[in-house]
Amino acid sequence: QVQLVESGGGLVQAGGSLRLSCAASGRTFSSYVMGWFRQAPGKEREFVAVISWRGDNKYYADSAKGRFTISRDNAKNMVYLQMNSLKPEDTAVYYCAAGGSYYQRSPGGFDYWGQGTQVTVSS
């Protein structure tokens, strides 16, 4: 089992940057695919990015390509989401999740979730 705790959210102006962190507990962390999702008010939770268990494969939603970078440090049980050139439409609660398949893009394909961290981008 994996427990996940996100941090790093906050209020930032459009064009700014934030780095989200996700701390994982559990000895099997390195065997999990890790993903970031987000959920804006009144909207469904949506996929942002995923990284393979070794960190050598990454995939991004179109909205994140070229602006966001997902990374992981298995020695520290950490996953990160570097977000640059932020836009007001990036405002959402961001969640990290652990799952078993790199090809999953839906929330249902991930087994463990953090509590989320709020990101607010002002115009």
Side-chain angles (χ1 to χ4, degrees):
Q1 194 165 357
V2 177
Q3 293 183 326
L4 305 171
V5 179
E6 302 95 335
S7 62
L11 174 64
V12 64
Q13 289 188 332
S17 298
L18 281 175
R19 187 194 196 205
L20 305 184
S21 299
C22 175
S25 64
R27 291 177 291 176
T28 59
F29 168 76
S30 61
S31 66
Y32 284 96
V33 168
M34 298 299 297
W36 284 96
F37 288 77
R38 67 186 183 186
Q39 188 166 18
K43 295 187 176 181
E44 294 186 352
R45 192 168 297 189
E46 66 174 8
F47 168 79
V48 176
V50 65
I51 187 168
S52 61
W53 63 272
R54 288 194 304 184
D56 51 350
N57 288 297
K58 305 172 186 180
Y59 186 83
Y60 299 91
D62 287 344
S63 58
K65 286 178 183 176
R67 300 188 300 127
F68 294 3
T69 302
I70 189 171
S71 61
R72 68 189 296 165
D73 185 337
N74 287 343
K76 296 181 178 179
N77 280 15
M78 296 291 295
V79 181
Y80 306 98
L81 186 68
Q82 177 68 44
M83 304 187 296
N84 299 327
S85 302
L86 283 162
K87 306 174 182 179
E89 51 263 44
D90 294 318
T91 296
V93 177
Y94 283 72
Y95 299 89
C96 85
S101 173
Y102 172 75
Y103 298 100
Q104 280 291 343
R105 305 288 182 260
S106 65
F110 287 77
D111 303 309
Y112 303 103
W113 293 84
Q115 83 290 349
T117 185
Q118 176 71 48
V119 171
T120 303
V121 184
S122 64
S123 58

